[in-house]
Amino acid sequence: MASFSRTLATVSRAVRAAPVNAIRVGRKERLFPRAVVAGPSTLRRTYATPSSSPSSTIDPTLTRALDLLEAGTRALEDGDLASAAKLYRQSVEAKETSEGWHNLANCEYHLQNKVAAVEAWGKSIELSPSADAHTNLASAYVLDNPPKPALAIKHLTAALQLAPEDAEIAFNLAAVLESTGNLETALTLYKKAQSGGIDRAAQNVRNVSAKIIGHRAKSEQGDKSA
């Protein structure tokens, strides 16, 4: 299978997000894993905490949730993943936020609690769909045992709809589609990824183009012998 071009955040990274009335997950540099589709244990996605906003002074439960979110990120910065997960859990128990669930999911996945991670990413998406959460879910499904490519495709498609210019999402979706034999669509997406600056996609474009030509030649041979 072609490899994902994107990785989830390592647990040592943390960034600040937008105000709480428009919480989004921050992004950082993207890495290129090898061999297999990268899973959330190595994916680039970042953790984030919301900055303060006037609404946090009105709702005491939200104030508490944001304080715990900040504390969780500080724990991550100190390398204490278990404490970070506990604090993020307390944050969403105080007041559910998309960001709180997303960060909790990342922690749970790193702690090998895959079922809890998938559930938390799902809750994050329910509150505020993000390309990051959808991509993380897709990666978890690809690395599941057995893999669940249909669900991975579903979430990567949703991610690309949310971020249509994201070349790395296009590459990742192409990789899963190629693995399921959907070569024509995979080729289109690899070309999109290449034009968006993913240099390694050029090799995928050549490989998939050759596969398509080979399949067509075999089909034509079959028609002639029939």
Side-chain angles (χ1 to χ4, degrees):
M1 180 185 291
S3 63
F4 264 24
S5 73
R6 161 176 0 235
T7 60
L8 263 178
T10 59
V11 296
S12 61
R13 293 180 181 172
V15 297
R16 294 186 181 277
V20 70
N21 61 350
I23 294 174
R24 296 182 184 278
V25 176
R27 294 188 174 191
K28 281 197 173 183
E29 179 184 359
R30 291 143 189 206
L31 307 176
F32 294 89
R34 300 177 204 147
V36 297
V37 176
S41 58
T42 55
L43 286 178
R44 173 215 48 86
R45 300 305 191 176
T46 56
Y47 298 82
T49 57
S51 58
S52 59
S53 74
S55 61
S56 64
T57 63
I58 298 172
D59 184 349
T61 60
L62 181 57
T63 299
R64 172 67 173 160
L66 299 185
D67 287 345
L68 289 163
L69 202 54
E70 292 278 1
T73 298
R74 288 195 296 272
L76 278 178
E77 291 170 343
D78 292 338
D80 190 345
L81 182 60
S83 292
K86 181 179 178 180
L87 288 162
Y88 286 141
R89 172 67 67 182
Q90 291 173 348
S91 175
V92 296
E93 287 174 350
K95 179 79 172 183
E96 288 187 298
T97 62
S98 177
E99 193 168 42
W101 281 116
H102 182 98
N103 289 359
L104 175 61
N106 286 6
C107 288
E108 294 285 19
Y109 201 94
H110 281 282
L111 291 168
Q112 303 300 309
N113 300 325
K114 296 181 181 180
V115 173
V118 167
E119 180 183 356
W121 277 316
K123 289 180 180 295
S124 174
I125 289 169
E126 286 177 6
L127 290 171
S128 180
S130 75
D132 281 344
H134 279 296
T135 299
N136 289 355
L137 265 175
S139 301
Y141 285 129
V142 165
L143 287 184
D144 207 352
N145 187 22
K148 297 179 175 63
L151 288 172
I153 290 169
K154 172 186 173 181
H155 284 284
L156 284 170
T157 299
L160 193 58
Q161 289 172 344
L162 289 167
E165 301 307 315
D166 193 316
E168 292 179 355
I169 293 175
F171 185 101
N172 293 348
L173 179 53
V176 182
L177 288 169
E178 180 186 355
S179 74
T180 62
N182 195 336
L183 299 180
E184 297 286 353
T185 306
L187 178 60
T188 298
L189 289 168
Y190 278 135
K191 288 179 178 179
K192 178 182 178 69
Q194 183 181 6
S195 65
I198 306 297
D199 293 336
R200 68 180 298 176
Q203 182 63 51
N204 296 82
V205 169
R206 290 191 291 271
N207 291 345
V208 173
S209 295
K211 287 181 182 179
I212 291 172
I213 291 171
H215 288 175
R216 286 176 181 170
K218 190 175 295 186
S219 178
E220 289 172 1
Q221 271 188 335
D223 291 341
K224 288 178 181 178
S225 62

